[in-house]
Amino acid sequence: MNDVQEITSAKEIDAFIQSNRLSMLYVSQEECNVCYAIYPKLKELLSNYPEIKLAHINATQVEEIAGKLLIFTVPTIMLFLDQKEYLREGRFVQIEQLEIRLQQLCNAIKQND
């Protein structure tokens, strides 16, 4: 998988989403065991989807993230297509279900391009 961009401010979030057709935000927090368990699985999954760019946000360091993106629990995964939120998963992310949704989205994009 390509490098994960570490986002450290709310401004960087907008720039990241605007610069990538398919952008995924992974919001975690320190001291969150679920966050640490899901993150490597998510990166492994995205290795099959190089068109999806991933950014990581530590909600402890970027406190305004909760208000900006209406995030109430971590981990939260948000996928944006053409700068619009397409998918949001929170807390107990089911990687298998996420993979099915990503396959469907990428197949639809390929058919329309």
Side-chain angles (χ1 to χ4, degrees):
M1 122 142 257
N2 295 338
D3 291 332
V4 177
Q5 181 175 333
E6 289 294 326
I7 292 184
T8 57
S9 73
K11 258 188 212 177
E12 290 178 44
I13 295 167
D14 293 332
F16 177 77
I17 292 170
Q18 290 171 2
S19 64
N20 298 294
R21 180 167 191 207
L22 282 167
S23 53
M24 182 176 283
L25 302 178
Y26 181 73
V27 182
S28 67
Q29 209 167 28
E30 297 166 10
E31 310 293 325
C32 169
N33 291 330
V34 176
C35 298
Y36 288 113
I38 290 176
Y39 194 39
K41 293 176 185 176
L42 178 64
K43 290 194 296 188
E44 182 181 338
L45 171 62
L46 290 182
S47 67
N48 299 318
Y49 301 93
E51 62 273 28
I52 301 174
K53 306 304 178 200
L54 178 64
H56 174 251
I57 305 166
N58 182 333
T60 307
Q61 295 174 352
V62 186
E63 295 176 359
E64 64 269 26
I65 187 74
K68 180 173 180 57
L69 297 175
L70 300 175
I71 293 176
F72 303 108
T73 185
V74 291
T76 296
I77 296 171
M78 299 177 71
L79 179 66
F80 293 84
L81 170 62
D82 295 329
Q83 302 176 33
K84 292 184 175 74
E85 184 176 332
Y86 176 80
L87 174 119
R88 180 185 292 238
E89 295 285 333
R91 191 65 180 151
F92 299 107
V93 178
Q94 295 184 15
I95 296 294
E96 298 81 16
Q97 290 296 321
L98 180 60
E99 182 170 18
I100 291 168
R101 303 250 342 243
L102 293 179
Q103 282 176 342
Q104 291 170 341
L105 173 63
C106 290
N107 289 339
I109 289 172
K110 287 175 186 172
Q111 289 177 354
N112 291 328
D113 282 346

